[in-house]
PDB file of all heavy atoms in Angstrom:
ATOM      1  N   SER A  51     -14.727  15.542  33.415  1.00  0.00           N
ATOM      2  CA  SER A  51     -15.664  16.429  34.141  1.00  0.00           C
ATOM      3  C   SER A  51     -16.695  15.513  34.857  1.00  0.00           C
ATOM      4  O   SER A  51     -17.019  15.734  35.985  1.00  0.00           O
ATOM      5  CB  SER A  51     -16.340  17.493  33.201  1.00  0.00           C
ATOM      6  OG  SER A  51     -17.164  16.801  32.270  1.00  0.00           O
ATOM      7  N   LYS A  52     -17.181  14.513  34.152  1.00  0.00           N
ATOM      8  CA  LYS A  52     -18.177  13.560  34.784  1.00  0.00           C
ATOM      9  C   LYS A  52     -17.485  12.848  35.936  1.00  0.00           C
ATOM     10  O   LYS A  52     -18.111  12.509  36.929  1.00  0.00           O
ATOM     11  CB  LYS A  52     -18.726  12.667  33.841  1.00  0.00           C
ATOM     12  CG  LYS A  52     -19.925  13.278  33.076  1.00  0.00           C
ATOM     13  CD  LYS A  52     -19.547  14.520  32.350  1.00  0.00           C
ATOM     14  CE  LYS A  52     -20.586  15.321  31.607  1.00  0.00           C
ATOM     15  NZ  LYS A  52     -20.072  16.559  30.993  1.00  0.00           N
ATOM     16  N   ALA A  53     -16.229  12.504  35.754  1.00  0.00           N
ATOM     17  CA  ALA A  53     -15.507  11.785  36.833  1.00  0.00           C
ATOM     18  C   ALA A  53     -15.382  12.722  38.042  1.00  0.00           C
ATOM     19  O   ALA A  53     -15.419  12.242  39.245  1.00  0.00           O
ATOM     20  CB  ALA A  53     -14.109  11.363  36.375  1.00  0.00           C
ATOM     21  N   LEU A  54     -15.278  14.036  37.838  1.00  0.00           N
ATOM     22  CA  LEU A  54     -15.149  14.935  38.981  1.00  0.00           C
ATOM     23  C   LEU A  54     -16.574  15.089  39.614  1.00  0.00           C
ATOM     24  O   LEU A  54     -16.687  15.411  40.779  1.00  0.00           O
ATOM     25  CB  LEU A  54     -14.668  16.354  38.513  1.00  0.00           C
ATOM     26  CG  LEU A  54     -13.179  16.422  38.073  1.00  0.00           C
ATOM     27  CD1 LEU A  54     -12.838  17.773  37.510  1.00  0.00           C
ATOM     28  CD2 LEU A  54     -12.284  16.106  39.280  1.00  0.00           C
ATOM     29  N   LEU A  55     -17.626  14.949  38.866  1.00  0.00           N
ATOM     30  CA  LEU A  55     -18.986  15.220  39.351  1.00  0.00           C
ATOM     31  C   LEU A  55     -19.639  14.000  39.994  1.00  0.00           C
ATOM     32  O   LEU A  55     -20.420  14.168  40.855  1.00  0.00           O
ATOM     33  CB  LEU A  55     -19.856  15.692  38.147  1.00  0.00           C
ATOM     34  CG  LEU A  55     -19.596  17.179  37.731  1.00  0.00           C
ATOM     35  CD1 LEU A  55     -20.021  17.391  36.301  1.00  0.00           C
ATOM     36  CD2 LEU A  55     -20.265  18.098  38.682  1.00  0.00           C
ATOM     37  N   ARG A  56     -19.344  12.802  39.500  1.00  0.00           N
ATOM     38  CA  ARG A  56     -20.075  11.663  40.058  1.00  0.00           C
ATOM     39  C   ARG A  56     -19.913  11.391  41.514  1.00  0.00           C
ATOM     40  O   ARG A  56     -20.882  11.077  42.169  1.00  0.00           O
ATOM     41  CB  ARG A  56     -19.623  10.406  39.204  1.00  0.00           C
ATOM     42  CG  ARG A  56     -20.183   9.062  39.684  1.00  0.00           C
ATOM     43  CD  ARG A  56     -21.678   9.023  39.642  1.00  0.00           C
ATOM     44  NE  ARG A  56     -22.170   7.853  40.377  1.00  0.00           N
ATOM     45  CZ  ARG A  56     -23.399   7.741  40.972  1.00  0.00           C
ATOM     46  NH1 ARG A  56     -24.266   8.725  40.910  1.00  0.00           N
ATOM     47  NH2 ARG A  56     -23.697   6.676  41.577  1.00  0.00           N
ATOM     48  N   PRO A  57     -18.728  11.624  42.093  1.00  0.00           N
ATOM     49  CA  PRO A  57     -18.591  11.316  43.566  1.00  0.00           C
ATOM     50  C   PRO A  57     -19.526  12.185  44.396  1.00  0.00           C
ATOM     51  O   PRO A  57     -20.171  11.683  45.276  1.00  0.00           O
ATOM     52  CB  PRO A  57     -17.152  11.615  43.846  1.00  0.00           C
ATOM     53  CG  PRO A  57     -16.430  11.306  42.564  1.00  0.00           C
ATOM     54  CD  PRO A  57     -17.392  11.821  41.482  1.00  0.00           C
ATOM     55  N   GLY A  58     -19.603  13.450  44.052  1.00  0.00           N
ATOM     56  CA  GLY A  58     -20.529  14.309  44.814  1.00  0.00           C
ATOM     57  C   GLY A  58     -21.943  13.883  44.664  1.00  0.00           C
ATOM     58  O   GLY A  58     -22.752  13.890  45.626  1.00  0.00           O
ATOM     59  N   GLU A  59     -22.263  13.512  43.481  1.00  0.00           N
ATOM     60  CA  GLU A  59     -23.673  13.081  43.150  1.00  0.00           C
ATOM     61  C   GLU A  59     -23.982  11.864  43.985  1.00  0.00           C
ATOM     62  O   GLU A  59     -25.066  11.754  44.519  1.00  0.00           O
ATOM     63  CB  GLU A  59     -23.694  12.764  41.675  1.00  0.00           C
ATOM     64  CG  GLU A  59     -24.979  12.453  41.036  1.00  0.00           C
ATOM     65  CD  GLU A  59     -24.595  12.116  39.574  1.00  0.00           C
ATOM     66  OE1 GLU A  59     -24.562  13.029  38.817  1.00  0.00           O
ATOM     67  OE2 GLU A  59     -24.479  10.915  39.187  1.00  0.00           O
ATOM     68  N   ALA A  60     -23.097  10.834  43.993  1.00  0.00           N
ATOM     69  CA  ALA A  60     -23.364   9.613  44.723  1.00  0.00           C
ATOM     70  C   ALA A  60     -23.444   9.888  46.193  1.00  0.00           C
ATOM     71  O   ALA A  60     -24.236   9.321  46.958  1.00  0.00           O
ATOM     72  CB  ALA A  60     -22.206   8.635  44.453  1.00  0.00           C
ATOM     73  N   LEU A  61     -22.600  10.851  46.700  1.00  0.00           N
ATOM     74  CA  LEU A  61     -22.653  11.171  48.161  1.00  0.00           C
ATOM     75  C   LEU A  61     -23.952  11.799  48.506  1.00  0.00           C
ATOM     76  O   LEU A  61     -24.625  11.464  49.506  1.00  0.00           O
ATOM     77  CB  LEU A  61     -21.484  12.125  48.505  1.00  0.00           C
ATOM     78  CG  LEU A  61     -21.173  12.154  49.977  1.00  0.00           C
ATOM     79  CD1 LEU A  61     -20.650  10.842  50.484  1.00  0.00           C
ATOM     80  CD2 LEU A  61     -20.166  13.295  50.230  1.00  0.00           C
ATOM     81  N   ARG A  62     -24.366  12.782  47.658  1.00  0.00           N
ATOM     82  CA  ARG A  62     -25.711  13.420  47.963  1.00  0.00           C
ATOM     83  C   ARG A  62     -26.865  12.487  47.943  1.00  0.00           C
ATOM     84  O   ARG A  62     -27.783  12.545  48.682  1.00  0.00           O
ATOM     85  CB  ARG A  62     -25.920  14.572  46.923  1.00  0.00           C
ATOM     86  CG  ARG A  62     -25.167  15.844  47.210  1.00  0.00           C
ATOM     87  CD  ARG A  62     -25.651  16.983  46.317  1.00  0.00           C
ATOM     88  NE  ARG A  62     -25.202  16.763  44.946  1.00  0.00           N
ATOM     89  CZ  ARG A  62     -24.071  17.059  44.424  1.00  0.00           C
ATOM     90  NH1 ARG A  62     -23.056  17.516  45.223  1.00  0.00           N
ATOM     91  NH2 ARG A  62     -23.743  16.805  43.133  1.00  0.00           N
ATOM     92  N   ALA A  63     -26.720  11.497  47.007  1.00  0.00           N
ATOM     93  CA  ALA A  63     -27.797  10.503  46.915  1.00  0.00           C
ATOM     94  C   ALA A  63     -27.928   9.701  48.205  1.00  0.00           C
ATOM     95  O   ALA A  63     -29.004   9.448  48.705  1.00  0.00           O
ATOM     96  CB  ALA A  63     -27.572   9.588  45.702  1.00  0.00           C
ATOM     97  N   ALA A  64     -26.703   9.351  48.723  1.00  0.00           N
ATOM     98  CA  ALA A  64     -26.733   8.544  49.990  1.00  0.00           C
ATOM     99  C   ALA A  64     -27.202   9.424  51.157  1.00  0.00           C
ATOM    100  O   ALA A  64     -27.873   8.954  52.030  1.00  0.00           O
ATOM    101  CB  ALA A  64     -25.308   7.978  50.253  1.00  0.00           C
ATOM    102  N   GLU A  65     -26.727  10.673  51.149  1.00  0.00           N
ATOM    103  CA  GLU A  65     -27.122  11.552  52.285  1.00  0.00           C
ATOM    104  C   GLU A  65     -28.616  11.849  52.207  1.00  0.00           C
ATOM    105  O   GLU A  65     -29.209  12.196  53.272  1.00  0.00           O
ATOM    106  CB  GLU A  65     -26.405  12.910  52.158  1.00  0.00           C
ATOM    107  CG  GLU A  65     -24.865  12.784  52.550  1.00  0.00           C
ATOM    108  CD  GLU A  65     -24.158  14.086  52.191  1.00  0.00           C
ATOM    109  OE1 GLU A  65     -24.642  14.896  51.307  1.00  0.00           O
ATOM    110  OE2 GLU A  65     -23.058  14.311  52.745  1.00  0.00           O
ATOM    111  N   GLY A  66     -29.230  11.712  51.087  1.00  0.00           N
ATOM    112  CA  GLY A  66     -30.604  12.097  50.906  1.00  0.00           C
ATOM    113  C   GLY A  66     -31.606  11.017  51.250  1.00  0.00           C
ATOM    114  O   GLY A  66     -32.782  11.157  51.098  1.00  0.00           O
ATOM    115  N   VAL A  67     -31.086   9.856  51.887  1.00  0.00           N
ATOM    116  CA  VAL A  67     -31.990   8.766  52.203  1.00  0.00           C
ATOM    117  C   VAL A  67     -31.851   8.471  53.666  1.00  0.00           C
ATOM    118  O   VAL A  67     -30.756   8.095  54.131  1.00  0.00           O
ATOM    119  CB  VAL A  67     -31.655   7.489  51.393  1.00  0.00           C
ATOM    120  CG1 VAL A  67     -32.581   6.378  51.789  1.00  0.00           C
ATOM    121  CG2 VAL A  67     -31.768   7.795  49.903  1.00  0.00           C
ATOM    122  N   ALA A  68     -32.894   8.682  54.412  1.00  0.00           N
ATOM    123  CA  ALA A  68     -32.857   8.348  55.866  1.00  0.00           C
ATOM    124  C   ALA A  68     -32.531   6.845  55.984  1.00  0.00           C
ATOM    125  O   ALA A  68     -33.076   5.989  55.313  1.00  0.00           O
ATOM    126  CB  ALA A  68     -34.192   8.644  56.517  1.00  0.00           C
ATOM    127  N   GLY A  69     -31.597   6.562  56.886  1.00  0.00           N
ATOM    128  CA  GLY A  69     -31.186   5.193  57.122  1.00  0.00           C
ATOM    129  C   GLY A  69     -29.846   4.996  56.430  1.00  0.00           C
ATOM    130  O   GLY A  69     -29.015   4.162  56.889  1.00  0.00           O
ATOM    131  N   THR A  70     -29.571   5.675  55.398  1.00  0.00           N
ATOM    132  CA  THR A  70     -28.287   5.678  54.717  1.00  0.00           C
ATOM    133  C   THR A  70     -27.426   6.866  55.208  1.00  0.00           C
ATOM    134  O   THR A  70     -26.219   6.762  55.330  1.00  0.00           O
ATOM    135  CB  THR A  70     -28.442   5.770  53.202  1.00  0.00           C
ATOM    136  OG1 THR A  70     -29.439   4.789  52.759  1.00  0.00           O
ATOM    137  CG2 THR A  70     -27.180   5.521  52.486  1.00  0.00           C
ATOM    138  N   ALA A  71     -28.122   7.962  55.409  1.00  0.00           N
ATOM    139  CA  ALA A  71     -27.408   9.213  55.769  1.00  0.00           C
ATOM    140  C   ALA A  71     -26.478   9.024  56.947  1.00  0.00           C
ATOM    141  O   ALA A  71     -25.378   9.559  56.974  1.00  0.00           O
ATOM    142  CB  ALA A  71     -28.450  10.286  56.038  1.00  0.00           C
ATOM    143  N   ALA A  72     -26.916   8.212  57.939  1.00  0.00           N
ATOM    144  CA  ALA A  72     -26.115   8.049  59.104  1.00  0.00           C
ATOM    145  C   ALA A  72     -24.769   7.394  58.857  1.00  0.00           C
ATOM    146  O   ALA A  72     -23.799   7.565  59.616  1.00  0.00           O
ATOM    147  CB  ALA A  72     -26.888   7.247  60.194  1.00  0.00           C
ATOM    148  N   ALA A  73     -24.691   6.669  57.767  1.00  0.00           N
ATOM    149  CA  ALA A  73     -23.496   6.013  57.366  1.00  0.00           C
ATOM    150  C   ALA A  73     -22.517   6.912  56.569  1.00  0.00           C
ATOM    151  O   ALA A  73     -21.459   6.436  56.199  1.00  0.00           O
ATOM    152  CB  ALA A  73     -23.791   4.732  56.548  1.00  0.00           C
ATOM    153  N   VAL A  74     -22.925   8.117  56.333  1.00  0.00           N
ATOM    154  CA  VAL A  74     -22.141   9.002  55.543  1.00  0.00           C
ATOM    155  C   VAL A  74     -21.507  10.119  56.423  1.00  0.00           C
ATOM    156  O   VAL A  74     -22.232  10.764  57.227  1.00  0.00           O
ATOM    157  CB  VAL A  74     -22.979   9.659  54.438  1.00  0.00           C
ATOM    158  CG1 VAL A  74     -22.181  10.719  53.649  1.00  0.00           C
ATOM    159  CG2 VAL A  74     -23.528   8.604  53.521  1.00  0.00           C
ATOM    160  N   SER A  75     -20.193  10.266  56.357  1.00  0.00           N
ATOM    161  CA  SER A  75     -19.579  11.264  57.236  1.00  0.00           C
ATOM    162  C   SER A  75     -19.690  12.699  56.642  1.00  0.00           C
ATOM    163  O   SER A  75     -19.443  13.658  57.298  1.00  0.00           O
ATOM    164  CB  SER A  75     -18.100  10.914  57.479  1.00  0.00           C
ATOM    165  OG  SER A  75     -17.335  11.275  56.348  1.00  0.00           O
TER     166      SER A  75
END
Side-chain angles (χ1 to χ4, degrees):
Chain A
S51 67
K52 276 57 181 181
L54 291 175
L55 285 157
R56 173 62 190 153
E59 186 183 277
L61 196 67
R62 281 190 290 278
E65 287 171 337
V67 179
T70 310
V74 176
S75 79

